[in-house]
Amino acid sequence: MSTYPTAEPHPREDPLPGTEKAGVGALGPTGRPLPEFPEPAPLTSHGPARIIAMCNQKGGVGKTTTTINLGAALAEVGRKVLLVDFDPQGALSVGLGIRTNELDVTIYNLLVERGHDIRDIVQPTRTENLDLVPANIDLSAAEVQLVGEVAREQILGRALRPILDDYDVVLIDCQPSLGLLTVNALTAAHGVIIPLECEFFAMRGVALLVETIDKITDRLNPRLQVDGILATMYDSRTLHSREVVRSVVDHFGDQVFHTVISRTVKFPDASLAAEPITTYASQHGAATAYRQLARELIARGGAA
Ligand code: ADP
Ligand code: MG
């Protein structure tokens, strides 16, 4: 008797890699046996939050997409999640339906002006359990303005402190640079997730990022851990994608998430609709993948 499902509930243009012929002991897309990640147990109480920075100084690797969709997947399993837009481009805020040019106060005001309470800046999103601290282009001035501040690397961490007990996870969407804003995110964080696009030169620059993380662990934030490296924009049909993932695993071993995010147009579509993939295309393999990532992160202890 076949143990394979006889029919897919919904046709998928791009199956979740590694699960298309899944069975006991099947190899996942990273070339390792794919473990089962259990359904997370419901939480009976909330907080204090674990803070995770989504970081890679390369643009277009899936930081913002992962922040929205991992956040939404965690929220779906009852975690209280705060997303922090820490990129002056404001793509995270826009991707959740915020008109960023109409905002009076953003993370920028919280960082550079006294007298703001983060609670006045946090906004609910249309997704239950998912809140947002928005940003807009104002934030681009912060880097220069903060340079002369006392304890300039710790300003974000201090600003987040009052609401940490209200959330289980805070995800910070970093800008594509290793400047002072990103250093602030890494100083505030317990963990860092590094999205890597499955493309030529994916690893270029990662050594510098790891060196930066090591310096911050040494000098500013000894608790900081790499929670995982996430392969994004994976195309199971190309040898190239598979080779990139293999080489990332050869290099980083168990730090690489078993979950891999496939390349699909559903992601840009969902951002246009200003919705997480988990509601925009709930049954699509791409939503399944972020749900699996949420379970894997929880199973690894990266979230409650
Ligand atoms: P970053 O924040 O690292 O700059 P984004 O998450 O904004 O990267 O992604 C860059 C672009 O690629 C966006 O247009 C996004 O919609 C798209 N994208 C992200 N992840 C995927 C994916 N897995 N498949 C296809 N397109 C993606
Ligand atoms: Mg981004």
Side-chain angles (χ1 to χ4, degrees):
M1 195 182 82
S2 169
T3 54
Y4 291 10
T6 48
E8 288 266 275
H10 291 267
R12 296 194 308 219
E13 60 175 289
D14 208 355
L16 176 63
T19 60
E20 53 267 56
K21 293 187 200 72
V24 176
L27 291 187
T30 67
R32 298 167 294 174
L34 190 66
E36 283 271 326
F37 302 111
E39 184 68 23
L43 295 179
T44 49
S45 64
H46 296 285
R50 193 161 180 284
I51 304 174
I52 302 173
M54 204 64 66
C55 203
N56 186 333
Q57 75 274 32
K58 199 163 171 238
V61 298
K63 292 181 289 297
T64 301
T65 302
T66 299
T67 305
I68 292 181
N69 296 305
L70 174 61
L74 288 165
E76 210 177 59
V77 291
R79 273 58 185 169
K80 289 197 177 295
V81 181
L82 179 67
L83 306 182
V84 178
D85 194 346
F86 217 40
D87 182 347
Q89 298 306 316
L92 177 70
S93 308
V94 172
L96 288 164
I98 306 286
R99 293 175 197 272
T100 55
N101 49 0
E102 293 172 8
L103 294 169
D104 289 332
V105 282
T106 64
I107 185 89
Y108 166 79
N109 305 83
L110 195 63
L111 294 177
V112 304
E113 297 166 1
R114 287 173 180 277
H116 290 285
D117 185 329
I118 186 163
R119 291 187 187 86
D120 301 332
I121 296 170
V122 170
Q123 304 208 4
T125 70
R126 284 175 298 212
T127 304
E128 194 187 349
N129 294 331
L130 190 68
D131 291 347
L132 170 74
V133 175
N136 62 18
I137 197 70
D138 292 350
L139 184 60
S140 58
E143 193 123 10
V144 174
Q145 286 175 270
L146 293 181
V147 164
E149 284 288 318
V150 176
R152 59 187 179 182
E153 299 89 355
Q154 281 143 21
I155 294 167
L156 177 65
R158 190 160 310 128
L160 291 174
R161 218 170 285 158
I163 39 89
L164 292 184
D165 283 341
D166 304 340
Y167 294 95
D168 301 307
V169 188
V170 175
L171 297 179
I172 307 172
D173 185 22
C174 293
Q175 68 176 155
S177 98
L178 293 174
L180 185 53
L181 289 180
T182 298
V183 169
N184 259 269
L186 291 171
T187 304
H190 300 85
V192 49
I193 292 178
I194 304 173
L196 285 187
E197 185 187 1
C198 293
E199 247 324 317
F200 281 114
F201 310 127
M203 307 262 273
R204 187 180 270 188
V206 176
L208 184 61
L209 175 55
V210 169
E211 202 178 293
T212 304
I213 292 169
D214 286 346
K215 272 188 200 158
I216 287 174
T217 311
D218 253 17
R219 300 176 193 172
L220 288 162
N221 181 12
R223 70 183 179 183
L224 182 64
Q225 300 176 338
V226 175
D227 285 337
I229 294 167
L230 176 68
T232 65
M233 311 206 201
Y234 177 79
D235 185 346
S236 61
R237 293 163 301 189
T238 69
L239 180 62
H240 174 62
S241 248
R242 297 199 298 270
E243 280 176 353
V244 172
V245 172
R246 289 297 150 83
S247 72
V248 171
V249 172
D250 282 348
H251 202 268
F252 293 104
D254 287 342
Q255 283 188 319
V256 183
F257 285 110
H258 288 275
T259 306
V260 157
I261 308 299
S262 289
R263 184 182 291 277
T264 162
V265 72
K266 288 286 174 198
F267 287 110
D269 287 353
S271 342
L272 271 182
E275 258 190 77
I277 197 86
T278 44
T279 53
Y280 177 76
S282 179
Q283 306 299 322
H284 192 273
T288 312
Y290 274 108
R291 289 189 187 107
Q292 180 181 309
L293 180 64
R295 289 201 302 272
E296 183 171 7
L297 182 69
I298 290 171
R300 282 181 174 215

